[in-house]
Amino acid sequence: MPCYSIDGVIPVVHPSAHVHPTAVLIGDVVVGPGCYIGPAASLRGDFGRIVIHEGANVQDTCVIHGFPASETVVEANGHIGHGAVLHGCVVRHDALVGMNAVVMDEAEVGAYSIVAACAFVRAGLKLPEKSLIVGAPAKVLRELSEDEIRWKRAGTETYQRLAQRCHESLREVAPLSQEEPDRPRLPVSDYGTKPATALKS
């Protein structure tokens, strides 16, 4: 993976974490056990510290950064969807930030909450636990059900297993020139085939 020190500060990646070879880690970044960092993610700890706690995932093309002396934190089992931007904020344990959502400086996403895709969480906003958060600017729509919280946790566990799968079988290869007969399929997760339908407005 592209990994760079700055001012003598070197990123830390736990051996059980998976960081995709195209992700970029710079400076004061700590990636904990069992984490998944996806392709083209940028974790740029050249101003403030970035901490990704155990079992969290940061998916493809996410950007994580912060102002000088800030800390950007994703707590245990946090789930950061494709293309999300986190800047100097805290995502509490078991929370989800949806695809292309933005969470700004000194904001806090409460534990077990879900920030919907494309939401904009303004600087300094403190969001409660177990909430569905939508819109730009973001607001609490309603409390999440226990079934929805379990659905989110199942998705996060799927990414925890993906980190293990990548350690076991992800390899750079040349593509085949044509599809082979009886082409194998990937294993199906019990997370479900239509997860977007799990959340109801």
Side-chain angles (χ1 to χ4, degrees):
M1 82 196 80
C3 190
Y4 304 92
S5 68
I6 189 167
D7 299 326
V9 181
I10 301 171
V12 177
V13 177
H14 191 275
S16 65
H18 170 75
V19 179
H20 190 272
T22 62
V24 178
L25 276 56
I26 299 173
D28 196 359
V29 177
V30 179
V31 177
C35 291
Y36 173 88
I37 309 297
S42 174
L43 283 65
R44 188 156 66 86
D46 48 12
F47 289 162
R49 176 167 292 174
I50 296 168
V51 183
I52 313 298
H53 284 269
E54 181 173 4
N57 67 79
V58 176
Q59 297 173 21
D60 325 45
T61 73
C62 288
V63 175
I64 303 182
H65 194 238
F67 283 116
S70 68
E71 283 204 11
T72 307
V73 179
V74 179
E75 291 187 346
N77 302 315
H79 190 111
I80 312 303
H82 315 290
V85 176
L86 307 182
H87 203 276
C89 60
V90 177
V91 177
R92 294 294 180 196
H93 68 87
D94 294 279
L96 181 152
V97 175
M99 292 181 269
N100 290 314
V102 176
V103 185
M104 292 298 294
D105 303 274
E106 299 181 352
E108 184 176 310
V109 177
Y112 303 104
S113 286
I114 294 176
V115 176
C118 298
F120 179 83
V121 179
R122 64 173 172 80
L125 185 62
K126 309 300 183 191
L127 293 161
E129 295 186 356
K130 298 183 178 181
S131 299
L132 177 60
I133 297 147
V134 302
K139 63 181 180 181
V140 175
L141 182 64
R142 61 171 174 78
E143 187 172 339
L144 291 170
S145 70
E146 291 303 315
D147 281 346
E148 289 168 328
I149 291 169
R150 282 192 290 271
W151 169 82
K152 180 270 163 195
R153 185 59 184 267
T156 301
E157 290 169 353
T158 297
Y159 270 89
Q160 291 166 351
R161 289 192 292 273
L162 179 58
Q164 297 171 355
R165 289 169 58 208
C166 288
H167 276 292
E168 293 166 0
S169 68
L170 184 70
R171 304 289 182 267
E172 186 172 2
V173 296
L176 301 175
S177 59
Q178 60 184 8
E179 184 177 346
E180 66 270 53
D182 300 319
R183 181 172 174 80
R185 287 195 170 269
L186 294 167
V188 176
S189 165
D190 56 8
Y191 182 41
T193 56
K194 294 184 179 178
T197 62
L199 290 179
K200 308 295 183 186
S201 59

